[in-house]
Amino acid sequence: METKTDEIILCNFGGPTKEEEVKPFLFLLFDDPLVIKIPFAPLRTFVAKRISKKRAPESNHEYAKIGYSPINKMTQIQADQLQTLLRKGNPNTDVHVINRYTAPFAQDVIPKLKFDGGRLFIVTMYPHFCHSTTATSVREVDRAIRDRFPSQEIDSTRIYSWWHNQSFLEYSTGEVKKKLDELIETQTEGPITVMFSAHGIPKRYRDKGDPYVTETTGHFHEVKRKILAQLDPQQAERIHWNLCFQSRVGPVEWTKPYTDETIDELAKSRGGHLLIYPVSFTSDHIETLYEMDVTYKEQALEGGFESYHRVMGANDDHRFTECLADILQAHGL
Amino acid sequence: METKTDEIILCNFGGPTKEEEVKPFLFLLFDDPLVIKIPFAPLRTFVAKRISKKRAPESNHEYAKIGYSPINKMTQIQADQLQTLLRKGNPNTDVHVINRYTAPFAQDVIPKLKFDGGRLFIVTMYPHFCHSTTATSVREVDRAIRDRFPSQEIDSTRIYSWWHNQSFLEYSTGEVKKKLDELIETQTEGPITVMFSAHGIPKRYRDKGDPYVTETTGHFHEVKRKILAQLDPQQAERIHWNLCFQSRVGPVEWTKPYTDETIDELAKSRGGHLLIYPVSFTSDHIETLYEMDVTYKEQALEGGFESYHRVMGANDDHRFTECLADILQAHGL
C-alpha cells in the first residue's frame, strides 16, 4: 500500500532573531493589507517602507534588550514536539512551520510538501480568530497552495479559532490558577488583580465585525468562571478581574480598555498585587518580554501596586503540544 | 442560588412562507453588503429594490411550486428539539431562532433574551463558514447585542464553522452512504455519480480568501474517504465523485465547476445514475426542492442519466439535533 502522509502546518507571526531582521520584519508587517488597511498596494508599500524605517531603531533597541524574539524557536520546538507526539499514532505525519513575517515563508515551504494523498491540516498559533493574524496567515498559505496547484481546490482542514477547545481552556485556566494560587499563598494581604491582556486592534475593525474581541472576551469569562468555581468565596472576594488590550500604535482609537491606562488607574485606586496574563500570546514575544515585563511592570510598581507577576506564554510547554494535538484530533486528524 | 440561563441562538437564512414574503425576503437579501458588495448603502438599496422587484414574480412562481420554503419551520423544529435535548442536562437552557432575511430578526429576539448571568452560544445552521451566510448572520446578531448593551462586550461563544465536527461528519457520511447503498443494490448496472452540490459564490470572493470553498472541499473529501473505506474496491470502481457549485445569479464568474454544466456533461459522457447531495444545506429550501428536484432532475434524465436520486437536507432529523448538541458541547456548553 502506498504511503500517504498527513501534513500539518503550524502558522505563526514570526519575529526578528537578530538586528538585521528587525526592519524587514516590520516592513512585511506594515505592508500587509490585513494589518494596514490601505487597499492601493503601491501607497501601502510606500507607507510600510517609511514606518518600518522610522520604527526600526527603537524597535531594535527593545528587541536587543530581550535578546531578540524567541517566537521562531518556540514555534519550531512546538512543531517538533507535535510531530513526535502525532507520529506515535501515525508514523506518516509531518509538521511544518510557516511564519507570516519572517522565514520560513509559505512560498518556500509549500513547494516542499509531499501532497502524496494524505491529509493537510492548517492551524495557527493564535487561539482567537483575527483578520490581522489568523486570516492573513491562512491566506498566505492558501496563496502558496494555489500557486502550486493553480487549477484545483486542494483538500484541507483549516482551523481558524480554537480558544474554546476544552483541553486548551483547561490548560489556560491551569496556568492562571497556578500563579494565582502562589500569589494567594505568598501575599496574604491586599487585593489581587487578575488582568488578562490581549493584543489590541483598531476599534473600527471590531465595529466592522472582526470576531477577535468577542473571542478574547469569551476566553476571559470562561477562565474566570472555571477559576471562581474552584475558589472558596472568601478567597474570591480578594480577586478582581480585568480584560484589557495592549500594544496600540498609530493615531486611531483601538479596542478598550487599554492595558497601560488601566494599570495606571488601578495602581492608584486599588493597589495590591497585579497578575497579568497574556491571553492572546502562545509564545512570549516583544509584547510580553518587553512591554509587559519591562514597561508595564515599572508602571505598575511605580504607580502603586505592591507586586507584579506574570503568567508565561505557553512557549515550549509539552502540555500545550498536547492541546494542539487535541485540537487537530477534534478536527478529524 | 440564583438561576442562570444558558441561551443558545440558532442562526439561519430564513425563507418566504407565503407570496407576500417573497419580495421583502429578496430585498433584504440583496441589500446585504456581504451578499451584494456595493459599499455605498443608498446605491445598494436602490439596486436591491430593483432586483427584488424584478425577480419576485419568477421567484414566487418557483416558491409556489414547492409550497413555499420549509426552512423557517425546520429551524424552529430543530430549536425546539435541541432545547428539549439540552434541558435534560441543564433545565435552564433556552434555544432561540434568529433568521437573517425573514422574521424572527435579531433586533426583535435579542431584547427578549434573559442575560441573567448564564452563557450565550451563537451557532449558525451553515456547516461551512461563508461571509455571505455565516458572517452576515453573526454580525446581525452582534449588532443587536451591541444595541442592547452599548457600553460593554458581552461574554459569548460564537461558532463559525462546524463541518469538521466528528458527529456531524459521521451523520453526513451516513446520509450519503444510506442512499448510495440503496442505489448500489437497486441499480446493479452502470456508473454511479455521487455529486456534492454546494451553493456557489462569486469566484472573486473565494480569490480574496473567503474560506467557504475550501471548507466544502474539505467536507467532500472527508465524506468520500469515509465511504470509500467502507466499500469493497469492486463496488468503489462503479462510483465517481464530483463537487460542484450551484445557484449562480448575475453576470460575474462564480466558483466552478457549475452543477448544471457538470450534469449536462456527465449525462452525455458518463450516464448511469446520479445521486446528488446538497452538502451546504441543512434544511431543504428552493435550491434543493426546486433547483435540484425539478430543474436538475429534468436536466439529468433528459440529458442521458438513467436515474436521479437525492439525499435530503437534515431538516427535522433528530440525529442532526444530536449533532448540534455535540457541536455546542465541544465548545464548552
Side-chain angles (χ1 to χ4, degrees):
Chain A
M1 206 169 139
E2 76 215 281
T3 302
K4 291 182 176 182
T5 312
D6 283 342
E7 298 187 284
I8 290 141
I9 296 171
L10 289 191
C11 298
N12 211 345
F13 211 74
T17 60
K18 51 190 170 199
E19 184 171 354
E20 310 85 276
E21 292 174 4
V22 173
K23 206 168 77 175
F25 164 78
L26 292 176
F27 170 71
L28 284 180
L29 172 62
F30 294 122
D31 195 35
D32 183 343
L34 286 170
V35 173
I36 302 282
K37 298 198 174 175
I38 302 176
F40 183 57
L43 174 61
R44 189 182 61 245
T45 301
F46 173 77
V47 170
K49 272 191 187 142
R50 286 194 57 141
I51 306 182
S52 55
K53 194 174 169 188
K54 193 178 155 204
R55 289 174 59 98
E58 194 197 322
S59 193
N60 182 62
H61 174 76
E62 293 177 3
Y63 275 114
K65 281 210 177 165
I66 63 164
Y68 294 91
S69 176
I71 195 170
N72 294 2
K73 188 177 158 197
M74 291 304 161
T75 314
Q76 191 56 56
I77 292 175
Q78 283 297 341
D80 294 343
Q81 289 176 177
L82 184 61
Q83 183 170 278
T84 303
L85 182 62
L86 294 175
R87 282 186 178 174
K88 287 180 190 165
N90 174 7
N92 299 312
T93 308
D94 291 350
V95 180
H96 308 270
V97 170
I98 291 181
N99 288 326
R100 181 64 183 88
Y101 305 117
T102 61
F105 294 109
Q107 67 262 37
D108 301 318
V109 174
I110 293 298
K112 293 181 199 149
L113 262 63
K114 292 181 184 145
F115 288 103
D116 60 7
R119 290 178 301 164
L120 174 64
F121 290 81
I122 303 170
V123 59
T124 78
M125 297 292 271
Y126 322 115
H128 319 97
F129 180 91
C130 185
H131 283 88
S132 316
T133 54
T134 318
T136 189
S137 286
V138 176
R139 281 181 199 184
E140 199 65 14
V141 173
D142 184 62
R143 205 169 284 144
I145 292 173
R146 298 179 90 197
D147 284 346
R148 180 162 168 185
F149 302 100
S151 59
Q152 69 180 114
E153 278 293 338
I154 289 298
D155 170 23
S156 66
T157 296
R158 304 175 184 198
I159 305 170
Y160 293 94
S161 165
W162 44 265
W163 67 269
H164 39 67
N165 171 276
Q166 297 305 297
S167 308
F168 175 68
L169 271 183
E170 283 303 325
Y171 171 73
S172 174
T173 303
E175 291 297 288
V176 179
K177 180 74 166 41
K178 192 172 61 188
K179 276 281 182 188
L180 181 60
D181 285 345
E182 283 171 28
L183 199 47
I184 290 172
E185 200 162 324
T186 55
Q187 306 284 354
T188 52
E189 298 288 318
I192 294 172
T193 295
V194 180
M195 179 179 286
F196 283 50
S197 185
H199 202 295
I201 57 172
K203 181 173 175 292
R204 71 174 187 283
Y205 295 5
R206 189 267 168 266
D207 292 343
K208 283 191 168 183
D210 189 293
Y212 175 75
V213 173
T214 60
E215 300 215 341
T216 48
T217 303
H219 187 160
F220 167 70
H221 284 283
E222 275 294 309
V223 171
K224 179 180 167 186
R225 249 191 307 271
K226 283 177 192 290
I227 290 180
L228 285 179
Q230 297 170 48
L231 292 178
D232 70 55
Q234 221 182 343
Q235 282 176 323
E237 263 178 32
R238 279 182 74 195
I239 300 164
H240 304 265
W241 300 82
N242 294 78
L243 170 64
C244 306
F245 297 92
Q246 67 176 78
S247 313
R248 75 184 179 285
V249 287
V252 302
E253 186 181 350
W254 278 38
T255 47
K256 287 184 176 173
Y258 298 148
T259 303
D260 51 4
E261 288 183 6
T262 309
I263 290 175
D264 280 345
E265 275 169 40
L266 295 181
K268 288 195 189 67
S269 66
R270 189 188 288 161
H273 312 282
L274 177 64
L275 172 59
I276 196 160
Y277 177 46
V279 62
S280 61
F281 305 92
T282 52
S283 166
D284 280 312
H285 195 223
I286 194 89
E287 290 88 349
T288 57
L289 297 170
Y290 191 86
E291 207 170 348
M292 287 184 176
D293 292 351
V294 178
T295 312
Y296 295 158
K297 183 179 181 179
E298 265 180 33
Q299 209 181 314
L301 297 177
E302 284 172 12
F305 277 110
E306 283 169 56
S307 69
Y308 169 95
H309 314 263
R310 178 166 77 83
V311 182
M312 300 301 286
N315 294 324
D316 58 357
D317 193 332
H318 273 280
R319 292 165 306 151
F320 179 58
T321 317
E322 285 164 19
C323 295
L324 291 172
D326 189 66
I327 290 160
L328 287 159
Q329 281 151 4
H331 285 78
L333 178 69
Chain B
M1 206 170 138
E2 77 214 280
T3 302
K4 291 182 177 182
T5 311
D6 284 342
E7 297 187 285
I8 290 141
I9 296 171
L10 290 190
C11 298
N12 211 345
F13 211 75
T17 60
K18 51 189 169 199
E19 184 170 354
E20 309 86 276
E21 291 175 4
V22 173
K23 206 169 76 176
F25 164 77
L26 292 176
F27 170 72
L28 284 180
L29 173 62
F30 294 121
D31 195 35
D32 183 342
L34 286 170
V35 172
I36 302 281
K37 298 198 174 174
I38 302 175
F40 183 58
L43 174 62
R44 188 182 60 245
T45 301
F46 173 77
V47 170
K49 271 191 187 143
R50 286 194 57 142
I51 306 182
S52 55
K53 194 174 168 188
K54 194 178 155 203
R55 289 174 60 97
E58 194 197 322
S59 194
N60 182 62
H61 174 76
E62 293 177 3
Y63 275 114
K65 281 210 176 165
I66 64 165
Y68 295 91
S69 176
I71 195 170
N72 294 3
K73 188 177 158 197
M74 292 304 161
T75 314
Q76 191 56 56
I77 292 174
Q78 283 296 341
D80 294 343
Q81 289 177 176
L82 184 61
Q83 182 170 279
T84 303
L85 183 62
L86 294 174
R87 283 186 177 174
K88 287 180 190 165
N90 174 6
N92 299 312
T93 308
D94 291 350
V95 180
H96 308 270
V97 170
I98 291 181
N99 288 326
R100 181 63 183 88
Y101 305 117
T102 61
F105 294 109
Q107 67 262 36
D108 301 318
V109 174
I110 293 298
K112 293 181 199 150
L113 261 62
K114 292 181 184 145
F115 288 103
D116 60 7
R119 290 178 301 163
L120 174 64
F121 290 80
I122 303 170
V123 60
T124 79
M125 297 291 271
Y126 322 115
H128 320 98
F129 179 91
C130 185
H131 283 88
S132 315
T133 54
T134 318
T136 188
S137 286
V138 176
R139 281 181 199 184
E140 200 64 14
V141 173
D142 184 63
R143 205 169 284 143
I145 292 173
R146 298 179 89 196
D147 284 346
R148 180 163 168 183
F149 302 100
S151 59
Q152 69 179 114
E153 279 293 339
I154 288 298
D155 170 23
S156 65
T157 296
R158 303 174 185 200
I159 305 170
Y160 294 94
S161 165
W162 44 265
W163 67 270
H164 40 67
N165 171 276
Q166 297 304 297
S167 308
F168 175 68
L169 271 182
E170 283 303 325
Y171 171 74
S172 174
T173 303
E175 290 298 288
V176 179
K177 181 73 166 41
K178 192 173 61 186
K179 276 281 182 187
L180 181 59
D181 285 345
E182 283 171 28
L183 199 46
I184 290 172
E185 200 162 323
T186 55
Q187 306 284 355
T188 52
E189 298 288 318
I192 294 172
T193 296
V194 181
M195 179 179 286
F196 283 50
S197 185
H199 203 295
I201 57 172
K203 181 173 175 293
R204 71 174 189 284
Y205 295 5
R206 189 267 168 266
D207 292 343
K208 283 190 168 184
D210 189 293
Y212 175 75
V213 174
T214 61
E215 300 215 341
T216 49
T217 303
H219 187 160
F220 166 70
H221 284 284
E222 275 294 309
V223 172
K224 179 181 166 185
R225 249 191 307 271
K226 283 177 192 290
I227 290 180
L228 285 179
Q230 297 170 48
L231 292 178
D232 70 55
Q234 221 183 342
Q235 282 177 322
E237 263 178 32
R238 280 181 75 194
I239 300 164
H240 303 265
W241 300 83
N242 293 79
L243 170 64
C244 307
F245 297 92
Q246 67 177 77
S247 313
R248 74 183 180 286
V249 287
V252 301
E253 187 181 349
W254 278 38
T255 47
K256 287 185 176 172
Y258 298 148
T259 303
D260 51 4
E261 288 183 6
T262 309
I263 290 175
D264 280 345
E265 275 169 41
L266 295 181
K268 289 195 188 66
S269 66
R270 189 188 288 162
H273 312 282
L274 177 64
L275 172 59
I276 196 160
Y277 177 46
V279 62
S280 61
F281 305 92
T282 52
S283 166
D284 280 312
H285 195 224
I286 194 89
E287 291 88 349
T288 58
L289 297 170
Y290 191 86
E291 208 170 347
M292 287 184 176
D293 292 351
V294 178
T295 312
Y296 295 157
K297 184 180 181 179
E298 266 180 33
Q299 209 181 313
L301 296 177
E302 284 172 12
F305 277 110
E306 283 169 56
S307 69
Y308 169 95
H309 314 263
R310 179 167 76 84
V311 182
M312 300 301 287
N315 295 324
D316 58 356
D317 194 332
H318 273 279
R319 291 165 308 150
F320 179 58
T321 317
E322 285 164 20
C323 295
L324 291 172
D326 189 67
I327 290 160
L328 287 159
Q329 280 151 3
H331 285 77
L333 178 69

